[in-house]
Short mmCIF file of all heavy atoms in Angstrom, two decimals:
data_model
loop_
_atom_site.label_atom_id
_atom_site.label_comp_id
_atom_site.label_asym_id
_atom_site.label_seq_id
_atom_site.Cartn_x
_atom_site.Cartn_y
_atom_site.Cartn_z
N GLY A 130 328.11 20.35 -3.88
CA GLY A 130 328.35 19.71 -5.17
C GLY A 130 328.32 20.68 -6.33
O GLY A 130 327.70 21.77 -6.24
N SER A 131 329.03 20.33 -7.37
CA SER A 131 329.17 21.21 -8.53
C SER A 131 327.84 21.52 -9.16
O SER A 131 327.66 22.61 -9.73
CB SER A 131 330.11 20.58 -9.55
OG SER A 131 329.63 19.31 -9.97
N GLU A 132 326.88 20.60 -9.11
CA GLU A 132 325.57 20.82 -9.71
C GLU A 132 324.82 21.96 -9.03
O GLU A 132 323.95 22.60 -9.65
CB GLU A 132 324.71 19.55 -9.67
CG GLU A 132 325.19 18.43 -10.59
CD GLU A 132 326.40 17.70 -10.03
OE1 GLU A 132 326.70 17.87 -8.84
OE2 GLU A 132 327.03 16.94 -10.79
N VAL A 133 325.15 22.22 -7.79
CA VAL A 133 324.54 23.31 -7.03
C VAL A 133 325.41 24.57 -7.16
O VAL A 133 324.89 25.69 -7.40
CB VAL A 133 324.33 22.94 -5.55
CG1 VAL A 133 323.96 24.16 -4.71
CG2 VAL A 133 323.30 21.84 -5.41
N VAL A 134 326.69 24.43 -6.97
CA VAL A 134 327.62 25.56 -6.91
C VAL A 134 327.77 26.26 -8.24
O VAL A 134 327.72 27.53 -8.30
CB VAL A 134 328.99 25.11 -6.40
CG1 VAL A 134 329.98 26.31 -6.39
CG2 VAL A 134 328.85 24.54 -4.99
N GLU A 135 327.95 25.53 -9.33
CA GLU A 135 328.24 26.17 -10.61
C GLU A 135 327.10 27.06 -11.10
O GLU A 135 327.38 28.17 -11.61
CB GLU A 135 328.63 25.13 -11.63
CG GLU A 135 330.00 24.48 -11.32
CD GLU A 135 330.40 23.42 -12.33
OE1 GLU A 135 329.62 23.18 -13.28
OE2 GLU A 135 331.47 22.84 -12.18
N PRO A 136 325.80 26.66 -10.98
CA PRO A 136 324.76 27.62 -11.38
C PRO A 136 324.71 28.86 -10.52
O PRO A 136 324.45 29.96 -11.06
CB PRO A 136 323.45 26.78 -11.22
CG PRO A 136 323.91 25.35 -11.33
CD PRO A 136 325.26 25.35 -10.67
N ILE A 137 324.98 28.74 -9.23
CA ILE A 137 325.02 29.90 -8.34
C ILE A 137 326.16 30.79 -8.75
O ILE A 137 326.02 32.04 -8.83
CB ILE A 137 325.13 29.47 -6.88
CG1 ILE A 137 323.89 28.69 -6.45
CG2 ILE A 137 325.32 30.69 -5.98
CD1 ILE A 137 323.99 28.15 -5.02
N ALA A 138 327.31 30.21 -9.01
CA ALA A 138 328.49 31.00 -9.45
C ALA A 138 328.22 31.76 -10.75
O ALA A 138 328.60 32.91 -10.91
CB ALA A 138 329.69 30.09 -9.60
N ALA A 139 327.50 31.12 -11.65
CA ALA A 139 327.17 31.76 -12.92
C ALA A 139 326.23 32.96 -12.70
O ALA A 139 326.45 34.02 -13.33
CB ALA A 139 326.53 30.76 -13.85
N VAL A 140 325.25 32.83 -11.86
CA VAL A 140 324.35 33.92 -11.55
C VAL A 140 325.13 35.11 -10.94
O VAL A 140 324.83 36.28 -11.22
CB VAL A 140 323.21 33.46 -10.62
CG1 VAL A 140 322.42 34.66 -10.11
CG2 VAL A 140 322.27 32.51 -11.37
N LEU A 141 326.10 34.80 -10.09
CA LEU A 141 326.88 35.81 -9.43
C LEU A 141 327.93 36.43 -10.34
O LEU A 141 328.58 37.39 -9.98
CB LEU A 141 327.57 35.23 -8.20
CG LEU A 141 326.65 34.85 -7.04
CD1 LEU A 141 327.39 34.01 -6.04
CD2 LEU A 141 326.06 36.09 -6.36
N GLY A 142 328.13 35.89 -11.52
CA GLY A 142 329.09 36.41 -12.47
C GLY A 142 330.51 35.98 -12.17
O GLY A 142 331.46 36.63 -12.62
N ALA A 143 330.68 34.89 -11.40
CA ALA A 143 332.03 34.42 -11.09
C ALA A 143 332.74 33.88 -12.30
O ALA A 143 332.09 33.39 -13.24
CB ALA A 143 331.98 33.36 -9.99
N ASP A 144 334.05 33.94 -12.26
CA ASP A 144 334.86 33.45 -13.40
C ASP A 144 335.14 31.96 -13.31
O ASP A 144 335.28 31.30 -14.34
CB ASP A 144 336.19 34.21 -13.44
CG ASP A 144 335.95 35.73 -13.62
OD1 ASP A 144 335.70 36.17 -14.75
OD2 ASP A 144 336.02 36.44 -12.60
N HIS A 145 335.24 31.44 -12.09
CA HIS A 145 335.48 30.02 -11.88
C HIS A 145 334.76 29.56 -10.61
O HIS A 145 334.37 30.41 -9.76
CB HIS A 145 337.00 29.76 -11.73
CG HIS A 145 337.80 30.15 -12.91
ND1 HIS A 145 337.88 29.39 -14.04
CD2 HIS A 145 338.62 31.24 -13.12
CE1 HIS A 145 338.68 30.00 -14.95
NE2 HIS A 145 339.15 31.10 -14.37
N ALA A 146 334.61 28.25 -10.49
CA ALA A 146 334.03 27.68 -9.27
C ALA A 146 334.83 26.43 -8.89
O ALA A 146 335.21 25.64 -9.75
CB ALA A 146 332.54 27.34 -9.48
N ILE A 147 335.07 26.31 -7.60
CA ILE A 147 335.70 25.12 -7.02
C ILE A 147 334.67 24.47 -6.15
O ILE A 147 334.09 25.10 -5.26
CB ILE A 147 336.96 25.48 -6.18
CG1 ILE A 147 338.05 25.98 -7.13
CG2 ILE A 147 337.47 24.27 -5.41
CD1 ILE A 147 339.25 26.60 -6.37
N SER A 148 334.38 23.18 -6.35
CA SER A 148 333.28 22.53 -5.59
C SER A 148 333.57 21.05 -5.52
O SER A 148 334.46 20.52 -6.18
CB SER A 148 331.93 22.80 -6.26
OG SER A 148 331.99 22.35 -7.62
N SER A 149 332.76 20.37 -4.70
CA SER A 149 332.88 18.92 -4.57
C SER A 149 332.31 18.26 -5.84
O SER A 149 331.41 18.75 -6.49
CB SER A 149 332.11 18.39 -3.34
OG SER A 149 332.71 18.90 -2.17
N ARG A 150 332.90 17.12 -6.20
CA ARG A 150 332.48 16.39 -7.39
C ARG A 150 332.08 14.96 -7.01
O ARG A 150 332.91 14.26 -6.43
CB ARG A 150 333.58 16.38 -8.44
CG ARG A 150 334.00 17.76 -8.93
CD ARG A 150 334.94 17.65 -10.10
NE ARG A 150 336.18 16.94 -9.74
CZ ARG A 150 337.27 17.55 -9.22
NH1 ARG A 150 337.22 18.82 -8.96
NH2 ARG A 150 338.34 16.84 -8.90
N MET A 151 330.87 14.60 -7.28
CA MET A 151 330.37 13.25 -7.02
C MET A 151 330.62 12.37 -8.23
O MET A 151 330.55 12.79 -9.36
CB MET A 151 328.86 13.30 -6.72
CG MET A 151 328.46 14.23 -5.61
SD MET A 151 329.09 13.72 -3.98
CE MET A 151 328.18 12.16 -3.79
N ALA A 152 330.94 11.12 -7.95
CA ALA A 152 331.16 10.16 -9.04
C ALA A 152 329.86 9.81 -9.71
O ALA A 152 328.81 9.68 -9.05
CB ALA A 152 331.82 8.88 -8.47
N VAL A 153 329.89 9.67 -11.03
CA VAL A 153 328.69 9.41 -11.82
C VAL A 153 328.92 8.22 -12.76
O VAL A 153 329.96 8.13 -13.40
CB VAL A 153 328.28 10.67 -12.65
CG1 VAL A 153 327.09 10.36 -13.57
CG2 VAL A 153 327.98 11.85 -11.74
N GLU A 154 327.93 7.34 -12.81
CA GLU A 154 327.93 6.25 -13.76
C GLU A 154 326.55 6.14 -14.40
O GLU A 154 325.56 6.13 -13.68
CB GLU A 154 328.31 4.91 -13.10
CG GLU A 154 329.79 4.79 -12.75
CD GLU A 154 330.13 3.41 -12.17
OE1 GLU A 154 329.21 2.53 -12.21
OE2 GLU A 154 331.26 3.20 -11.75
N ASP A 155 326.53 6.07 -15.71
CA ASP A 155 325.24 5.95 -16.46
C ASP A 155 324.25 7.05 -16.03
O ASP A 155 323.04 6.81 -15.93
CB ASP A 155 324.61 4.57 -16.22
CG ASP A 155 325.49 3.45 -16.69
OD1 ASP A 155 326.17 3.64 -17.74
OD2 ASP A 155 325.56 2.39 -16.03
N GLY A 156 324.76 8.24 -15.82
CA GLY A 156 323.90 9.39 -15.54
C GLY A 156 323.38 9.45 -14.14
O GLY A 156 322.50 10.30 -13.82
N ARG A 157 323.88 8.61 -13.25
CA ARG A 157 323.41 8.59 -11.83
C ARG A 157 324.62 8.63 -10.87
O ARG A 157 325.68 8.11 -11.18
CB ARG A 157 322.57 7.35 -11.54
CG ARG A 157 321.26 7.35 -12.32
CD ARG A 157 320.38 6.17 -11.93
NE ARG A 157 319.14 6.17 -12.66
CZ ARG A 157 318.06 6.86 -12.32
NH1 ARG A 157 318.06 7.55 -11.19
NH2 ARG A 157 316.97 6.85 -13.06
N TYR A 158 324.39 9.23 -9.69
CA TYR A 158 325.45 9.32 -8.69
C TYR A 158 325.67 7.92 -8.10
O TYR A 158 324.73 7.20 -7.74
CB TYR A 158 325.06 10.28 -7.57
CG TYR A 158 324.95 11.70 -8.02
CD1 TYR A 158 323.72 12.36 -8.00
CD2 TYR A 158 326.06 12.44 -8.48
CE1 TYR A 158 323.58 13.68 -8.42
CE2 TYR A 158 325.92 13.75 -8.89
CZ TYR A 158 324.70 14.35 -8.84
OH TYR A 158 324.55 15.66 -9.25
N THR A 159 326.93 7.57 -7.92
CA THR A 159 327.26 6.26 -7.33
C THR A 159 327.33 6.35 -5.82
O THR A 159 327.32 5.32 -5.15
CB THR A 159 328.62 5.78 -7.84
OG1 THR A 159 329.66 6.66 -7.37
CG2 THR A 159 328.67 5.76 -9.38
N GLY A 160 327.44 7.54 -5.26
CA GLY A 160 327.62 7.71 -3.83
C GLY A 160 329.05 7.99 -3.45
O GLY A 160 329.37 8.45 -2.35
N ALA A 161 330.01 7.70 -4.36
CA ALA A 161 331.41 8.00 -4.09
C ALA A 161 331.67 9.47 -4.41
O ALA A 161 330.94 10.10 -5.21
CB ALA A 161 332.29 7.14 -4.99
N ILE A 162 332.66 10.03 -3.75
CA ILE A 162 333.03 11.42 -3.94
C ILE A 162 334.39 11.47 -4.62
O ILE A 162 335.39 11.03 -4.04
CB ILE A 162 333.04 12.18 -2.61
CG1 ILE A 162 331.65 12.16 -1.98
CG2 ILE A 162 333.49 13.65 -2.82
CD1 ILE A 162 331.56 12.86 -0.61
N ASP A 163 334.45 12.02 -5.82
CA ASP A 163 335.72 12.12 -6.52
C ASP A 163 336.61 13.18 -5.90
O ASP A 163 337.82 13.01 -5.85
CB ASP A 163 335.45 12.44 -8.01
CG ASP A 163 334.96 11.26 -8.79
OD1 ASP A 163 335.17 10.13 -8.36
OD2 ASP A 163 334.30 11.48 -9.86
N PHE A 164 336.01 14.28 -5.44
CA PHE A 164 336.77 15.37 -4.82
C PHE A 164 335.87 16.06 -3.81
O PHE A 164 334.76 16.46 -4.15
CB PHE A 164 337.27 16.37 -5.84
CG PHE A 164 338.02 17.54 -5.24
CD1 PHE A 164 339.31 17.35 -4.69
CD2 PHE A 164 337.44 18.78 -5.14
CE1 PHE A 164 339.97 18.42 -4.10
CE2 PHE A 164 338.08 19.85 -4.54
CZ PHE A 164 339.34 19.68 -4.02
N TYR A 165 336.35 16.15 -2.56
CA TYR A 165 335.59 16.80 -1.51
C TYR A 165 336.25 18.15 -1.18
O TYR A 165 337.33 18.20 -0.61
CB TYR A 165 335.57 15.91 -0.26
CG TYR A 165 334.65 16.41 0.86
CD1 TYR A 165 333.46 17.01 0.57
CD2 TYR A 165 335.01 16.19 2.19
CE1 TYR A 165 332.61 17.45 1.58
CE2 TYR A 165 334.16 16.59 3.22
CZ TYR A 165 332.97 17.23 2.92
OH TYR A 165 332.13 17.63 3.92
N ALA A 166 335.62 19.24 -1.62
CA ALA A 166 336.20 20.58 -1.47
C ALA A 166 335.98 21.11 -0.07
O ALA A 166 335.13 21.98 0.16
CB ALA A 166 335.57 21.51 -2.50
N TYR A 167 336.75 20.57 0.87
CA TYR A 167 336.55 20.91 2.28
C TYR A 167 337.91 21.00 2.95
O TYR A 167 338.83 20.21 2.62
CB TYR A 167 335.70 19.84 2.95
CG TYR A 167 335.44 20.06 4.43
CD1 TYR A 167 334.42 20.92 4.84
CD2 TYR A 167 336.21 19.41 5.40
CE1 TYR A 167 334.19 21.12 6.20
CE2 TYR A 167 335.98 19.63 6.76
CZ TYR A 167 334.95 20.51 7.13
OH TYR A 167 334.73 20.72 8.48
N GLY A 168 338.11 21.97 3.85
CA GLY A 168 339.34 22.08 4.62
C GLY A 168 340.53 22.28 3.71
O GLY A 168 340.56 23.15 2.84
N GLU A 169 341.55 21.48 3.95
CA GLU A 169 342.80 21.59 3.20
C GLU A 169 342.61 21.40 1.70
O GLU A 169 343.34 21.99 0.88
CB GLU A 169 343.83 20.59 3.74
CG GLU A 169 345.20 20.62 3.06
CD GLU A 169 345.90 21.93 3.23
OE1 GLU A 169 345.79 22.54 4.32
OE2 GLU A 169 346.56 22.39 2.28
N ASN A 170 341.59 20.60 1.31
CA ASN A 170 341.31 20.35 -0.09
C ASN A 170 341.00 21.67 -0.85
O ASN A 170 341.28 21.79 -2.04
CB ASN A 170 340.21 19.36 -0.28
CG ASN A 170 340.67 17.93 -0.05
OD1 ASN A 170 341.88 17.68 0.02
ND2 ASN A 170 339.74 17.02 0.07
N LYS A 171 340.35 22.60 -0.15
CA LYS A 171 340.05 23.88 -0.81
C LYS A 171 341.34 24.59 -1.18
O LYS A 171 341.47 25.15 -2.27
CB LYS A 171 339.21 24.75 0.11
CG LYS A 171 337.75 24.44 0.17
CD LYS A 171 336.99 25.51 0.92
CE LYS A 171 335.48 25.26 0.92
NZ LYS A 171 334.73 26.35 1.61
N ALA A 172 342.31 24.57 -0.27
CA ALA A 172 343.58 25.24 -0.52
C ALA A 172 344.34 24.55 -1.66
O ALA A 172 344.96 25.19 -2.51
CB ALA A 172 344.46 25.27 0.75
N VAL A 173 344.25 23.21 -1.71
CA VAL A 173 344.93 22.45 -2.78
C VAL A 173 344.33 22.84 -4.14
O VAL A 173 345.04 23.13 -5.09
CB VAL A 173 344.78 20.95 -2.51
CG1 VAL A 173 345.26 20.15 -3.75
CG2 VAL A 173 345.55 20.53 -1.30
N ALA A 174 343.00 22.86 -4.23
CA ALA A 174 342.33 23.19 -5.46
C ALA A 174 342.59 24.65 -5.84
O ALA A 174 342.77 24.99 -7.01
CB ALA A 174 340.84 22.94 -5.35
N LEU A 175 342.64 25.53 -4.84
CA LEU A 175 342.92 26.96 -5.09
C LEU A 175 344.32 27.13 -5.71
O LEU A 175 344.49 27.84 -6.70
CB LEU A 175 342.85 27.70 -3.76
CG LEU A 175 343.12 29.22 -3.68
CD1 LEU A 175 342.40 29.79 -2.47
CD2 LEU A 175 344.62 29.48 -3.53
N ARG A 176 345.31 26.40 -5.16
CA ARG A 176 346.66 26.51 -5.70
C ARG A 176 346.77 25.92 -7.11
O ARG A 176 347.49 26.45 -7.96
CB ARG A 176 347.67 25.82 -4.75
CG ARG A 176 347.83 26.51 -3.40
CD ARG A 176 348.94 25.91 -2.60
NE ARG A 176 349.06 26.54 -1.29
CZ ARG A 176 348.53 26.04 -0.15
NH1 ARG A 176 347.85 24.91 -0.17
NH2 ARG A 176 348.66 26.68 0.99
N GLU A 177 346.06 24.84 -7.36
CA GLU A 177 346.06 24.24 -8.67
C GLU A 177 345.46 25.20 -9.68
O GLU A 177 345.98 25.37 -10.82
CB GLU A 177 345.31 22.90 -8.66
CG GLU A 177 346.04 21.81 -7.88
CD GLU A 177 345.21 20.53 -7.79
OE1 GLU A 177 344.00 20.58 -8.18
OE2 GLU A 177 345.72 19.51 -7.37
N LEU A 178 344.33 25.82 -9.32
CA LEU A 178 343.71 26.80 -10.23
C LEU A 178 344.63 27.99 -10.45
O LEU A 178 344.76 28.48 -11.58
CB LEU A 178 342.35 27.27 -9.66
CG LEU A 178 341.59 28.29 -10.50
CD1 LEU A 178 341.21 27.69 -11.84
CD2 LEU A 178 340.38 28.81 -9.73
N ALA A 179 345.30 28.48 -9.39
CA ALA A 179 346.23 29.61 -9.52
C ALA A 179 347.37 29.27 -10.48
O ALA A 179 347.80 30.09 -11.28
CB ALA A 179 346.77 29.97 -8.15
N GLU A 180 347.83 28.01 -10.43
CA GLU A 180 348.90 27.58 -11.32
C GLU A 180 348.45 27.60 -12.77
O GLU A 180 349.16 28.05 -13.65
CB GLU A 180 349.38 26.18 -10.92
CG GLU A 180 350.50 25.58 -11.77
CD GLU A 180 351.80 26.32 -11.56
OE1 GLU A 180 352.00 26.96 -10.51
OE2 GLU A 180 352.65 26.24 -12.47
N ARG A 181 347.22 27.10 -12.99
CA ARG A 181 346.72 27.05 -14.37
C ARG A 181 346.41 28.47 -14.93
O ARG A 181 346.67 28.74 -16.08
CB ARG A 181 345.38 26.24 -14.42
CG ARG A 181 345.61 24.76 -14.17
CD ARG A 181 344.36 23.97 -14.60
NE ARG A 181 343.15 24.42 -13.97
CZ ARG A 181 342.70 23.95 -12.82
NH1 ARG A 181 343.41 23.01 -12.16
NH2 ARG A 181 341.55 24.37 -12.27
N GLU A 182 345.86 29.35 -14.06
CA GLU A 182 345.42 30.65 -14.51
C GLU A 182 346.47 31.76 -14.37
O GLU A 182 346.29 32.88 -14.84
CB GLU A 182 344.14 31.07 -13.79
CG GLU A 182 342.96 30.15 -14.02
CD GLU A 182 342.48 30.21 -15.47
OE1 GLU A 182 342.57 31.32 -16.08
OE2 GLU A 182 342.03 29.18 -15.98
N GLY A 183 347.57 31.43 -13.69
CA GLY A 183 348.62 32.44 -13.53
C GLY A 183 348.32 33.47 -12.44
O GLY A 183 348.76 34.64 -12.55
N TYR A 184 347.59 33.07 -11.41
CA TYR A 184 347.27 34.01 -10.32
C TYR A 184 348.44 34.17 -9.39
O TYR A 184 349.12 33.21 -9.04
CB TYR A 184 346.05 33.50 -9.49
CG TYR A 184 344.77 33.40 -10.26
CD1 TYR A 184 343.87 32.33 -10.00
CD2 TYR A 184 344.40 34.31 -11.21
CE1 TYR A 184 342.69 32.23 -10.66
CE2 TYR A 184 343.20 34.21 -11.91
CZ TYR A 184 342.36 33.17 -11.62
OH TYR A 184 341.17 33.05 -12.31
N ASP A 185 348.68 35.38 -8.96
CA ASP A 185 349.67 35.69 -7.92
C ASP A 185 348.93 35.60 -6.60
O ASP A 185 348.20 36.49 -6.24
CB ASP A 185 350.25 37.08 -8.17
CG ASP A 185 351.29 37.46 -7.12
OD1 ASP A 185 351.43 36.76 -6.10
OD2 ASP A 185 352.02 38.45 -7.34
N LEU A 186 349.11 34.52 -5.86
CA LEU A 186 348.35 34.32 -4.63
C LEU A 186 348.71 35.35 -3.56
O LEU A 186 347.86 35.71 -2.73
CB LEU A 186 348.57 32.90 -4.11
CG LEU A 186 347.91 31.80 -4.93
CD1 LEU A 186 348.15 30.41 -4.35
CD2 LEU A 186 346.39 32.05 -5.07
N GLU A 187 349.95 35.81 -3.52
CA GLU A 187 350.30 36.84 -2.55
C GLU A 187 349.55 38.12 -2.74
O GLU A 187 349.30 38.87 -1.80
CB GLU A 187 351.83 37.10 -2.60
CG GLU A 187 352.33 38.04 -1.55
CD GLU A 187 352.07 37.61 -0.11
OE1 GLU A 187 352.03 36.36 0.12
OE2 GLU A 187 351.91 38.47 0.77
N ALA A 188 349.15 38.40 -3.99
CA ALA A 188 348.37 39.60 -4.28
C ALA A 188 346.89 39.34 -4.32
O ALA A 188 346.10 40.28 -4.51
CB ALA A 188 348.82 40.15 -5.65
N SER A 189 346.46 38.10 -4.11
CA SER A 189 345.05 37.74 -4.20
C SER A 189 344.34 37.80 -2.84
O SER A 189 344.96 38.05 -1.81
CB SER A 189 344.94 36.32 -4.80
OG SER A 189 345.39 36.31 -6.16
N TYR A 190 343.01 37.60 -2.91
CA TYR A 190 342.13 37.82 -1.76
C TYR A 190 341.34 36.52 -1.48
O TYR A 190 341.10 35.73 -2.40
CB TYR A 190 341.14 38.93 -2.04
CG TYR A 190 341.73 40.30 -2.25
CD1 TYR A 190 342.45 40.60 -3.42
CD2 TYR A 190 341.61 41.30 -1.28
CE1 TYR A 190 343.00 41.85 -3.62
CE2 TYR A 190 342.14 42.56 -1.50
CZ TYR A 190 342.84 42.82 -2.67
OH TYR A 190 343.36 44.09 -2.84
N ALA A 191 340.94 36.34 -0.22
CA ALA A 191 340.05 35.25 0.12
C ALA A 191 339.09 35.69 1.24
O ALA A 191 339.47 36.46 2.14
CB ALA A 191 340.83 34.03 0.57
N TYR A 192 337.88 35.20 1.19
CA TYR A 192 336.85 35.55 2.15
C TYR A 192 336.09 34.30 2.63
O TYR A 192 335.68 33.49 1.80
CB TYR A 192 335.81 36.52 1.52
CG TYR A 192 336.38 37.76 0.91
CD1 TYR A 192 336.81 37.80 -0.39
CD2 TYR A 192 336.50 38.94 1.68
CE1 TYR A 192 337.34 38.94 -0.97
CE2 TYR A 192 337.00 40.10 1.12
CZ TYR A 192 337.43 40.08 -0.19
OH TYR A 192 337.95 41.24 -0.77
N SER A 193 335.97 34.14 3.94
CA SER A 193 335.23 32.99 4.44
C SER A 193 334.72 33.25 5.89
O SER A 193 335.35 34.05 6.62
CB SER A 193 336.09 31.72 4.48
OG SER A 193 335.37 30.63 5.02
N ASP A 194 333.65 32.59 6.24
CA ASP A 194 333.09 32.68 7.59
C ASP A 194 333.56 31.55 8.49
O ASP A 194 333.29 31.56 9.70
CB ASP A 194 331.56 32.62 7.55
CG ASP A 194 331.08 31.20 7.22
OD1 ASP A 194 331.29 30.74 6.09
OD2 ASP A 194 330.58 30.54 8.14
N SER A 195 334.24 30.53 7.94
CA SER A 195 334.46 29.30 8.67
C SER A 195 335.94 29.04 9.01
O SER A 195 336.80 29.26 8.18
CB SER A 195 333.96 28.11 7.79
OG SER A 195 334.27 26.88 8.39
N VAL A 196 336.14 28.57 10.25
CA VAL A 196 337.49 28.22 10.69
C VAL A 196 338.06 27.07 9.88
O VAL A 196 339.29 26.93 9.75
CB VAL A 196 337.53 27.92 12.18
CG1 VAL A 196 336.79 26.58 12.46
CG2 VAL A 196 338.90 27.91 12.77
N THR A 197 337.17 26.24 9.28
CA THR A 197 337.67 25.13 8.44
C THR A 197 338.30 25.63 7.18
O THR A 197 339.01 24.87 6.47
CB THR A 197 336.53 24.15 8.10
OG1 THR A 197 335.54 24.81 7.30
CG2 THR A 197 335.90 23.60 9.37
#
Side-chain angles (χ1 to χ4, degrees):
S131 58
E132 290 77 13
V133 170
V134 176
E135 290 180 0
I137 296 175
V140 169
L141 292 167
D144 301 281
H145 300 282
I147 293 171
S148 56
S149 295
R150 298 188 300 273
M151 304 294 294
V153 175
E154 286 185 6
D155 299 324
R157 295 183 179 274
Y158 296 114
T159 67
I162 299 179
D163 286 338
F164 177 74
Y165 188 35
Y167 180 82
E169 181 61 38
N170 282 348
K171 281 190 177 182
V173 171
L175 179 155
R176 293 188 182 97
E177 290 176 350
L178 180 63
E180 180 69 22
R181 292 196 303 272
E182 296 295 326
Y184 297 143
D185 181 347
L186 290 181
E187 183 60 29
S189 294
Y190 297 72
Y192 304 88
S193 178
D194 73 291
S195 175
V196 70
T197 64

